[in-house]
Amino acid sequence: MEGTRESREHLFSSFNKCAMYESGEVVYNANSKAQTAYLVKKGMVKLYSIGAKGNKQIVRMVPEGEIIGYYSQFTNEPEITGCECLVNTVLCELSEHSLQEAFKTDSSLALSMLRKACTEIKETCASIMDLSQKTVRGRAANILVKQMELFNVEEGHNFPIRITRSDMASWIGTSKESVSRSLNDFVREGLIQMDRDTIKITNLKGLKRVSIVS
């Protein structure tokens, strides 16, 4: 949440329970009633929904500094998504009472969360359009561009966190094999460079063009 670093730091300092979660560990399940919201103090988590066949569909990745698990706190309904750690992650708990009190006493934080919710709605609408109208190639290109924004890296620099082919496939609604084929195509076309552990975008303009026209 841009412009709220001081607010987040204030919240972090008020927590009395922060814990390390391991990569792959589930923080809370989809359709469960979360008893607490969380601040991602360090690391990254992925939010996912469960399809009719029980398959996980990644909705979005959440970096440090973001609040998750707050849907239940405001609606008194089960969480729409589940949460799993992408890497080893430090999460700080924030009870329903503490979250509501923080919003009452910090108007800038409340406004920032409202903006965040609006942004998530916009991103959800865009994702629906991508899944329904873009080819796998276009979706794969788009998800790489999104990762640049997520990690705040520049063209020609490695992504600091490796997102697996399986997670990328779940994120864009396709198979791991289709993602791998698209990535290999992008390498041959000089759009990206990659090895077993890293990916970097070397032609952002070209990759964006693919994400738009494919």
Side-chain angles (χ1 to χ4, degrees):
M1 295 175 288
E2 295 182 1
T4 61
R5 181 174 297 277
E6 292 183 0
S7 298
R8 293 198 301 266
E9 291 300 326
H10 174 70
L11 283 173
F12 281 135
S13 66
S14 68
F15 293 155
N16 55 18
K17 187 177 181 182
C18 295
M20 171 70 79
Y21 291 75
E22 295 184 354
S23 175
E25 186 172 354
V26 174
V27 181
Y28 56 84
N29 291 303
N31 301 315
S32 64
K33 179 65 171 66
Q35 300 300 314
T36 179
Y38 299 88
L39 272 165
V40 184
K41 187 172 184 179
K42 184 178 180 181
M44 182 173 289
V45 301
K46 54 187 177 184
L47 301 183
Y48 62 88
S49 59
I50 302 294
K53 296 181 180 181
N55 297 325
K56 288 184 179 180
Q57 171 74 51
I58 293 177
V59 177
R60 65 189 184 92
M61 301 289 184
V62 184
E64 59 187 54
E66 296 277 357
I67 299 177
I68 57 174
Y70 57 85
Y71 181 82
S72 290
Q73 312 300 323
F74 293 107
T75 64
N76 200 32
E77 296 177 355
E79 286 292 321
I80 300 173
T81 59
C83 176
E84 182 180 319
C85 292
L86 184 68
V87 295
N88 291 345
T89 301
V90 177
L91 299 176
C92 299
E93 295 187 8
L94 186 63
S95 68
E96 179 178 0
H97 174 73
S98 297
L99 183 60
Q100 292 180 0
E101 284 301 311
F103 282 9
K104 289 177 182 178
T105 58
D106 191 340
S107 59
S108 64
L109 178 63
L111 179 60
S112 177
M113 284 296 295
L114 178 59
R115 288 173 176 164
K116 180 177 184 293
C118 292
T119 299
E120 289 177 10
I121 293 173
K122 179 180 178 181
E123 291 176 350
T124 299
C125 291
S127 294
I128 292 172
M129 294 295 289
D130 288 345
L131 289 172
S132 63
Q133 297 185 7
K134 289 187 176 182
T135 64
V136 171
R137 175 180 166 86
R139 281 178 272 159
N142 189 53
I143 212 66
L144 290 174
V145 174
K146 282 187 177 180
Q147 287 183 58
M148 279 194 74
E149 299 169 352
L150 181 68
F151 298 133
N152 193 28
V153 297
E154 298 180 354
E155 186 177 24
H157 289 73
N158 291 333
F159 295 161
I161 294 176
R162 178 178 177 270
I163 295 180
T164 66
R165 306 292 188 271
S166 296
D167 279 344
M168 289 179 64
S170 175
W171 201 352
I172 62 177
T174 189
S175 67
K176 177 182 176 181
E177 292 73 21
S178 294
V179 168
S180 294
R181 283 195 296 270
S182 294
L183 294 178
N184 289 331
D185 286 344
F186 297 157
V187 171
R188 285 193 294 270
E189 294 163 19
L191 301 176
I192 67 172
Q193 292 180 3
M194 69 175 186
D195 55 31
R196 183 174 181 178
D197 297 317
T198 62
I199 294 178
K200 62 182 175 183
I201 295 175
T202 53
N203 186 348
L204 179 58
K205 184 177 181 180
L207 198 65
K208 284 184 176 181
R209 186 182 301 114
V210 172
S211 72
I212 293 172
V213 301
S214 297

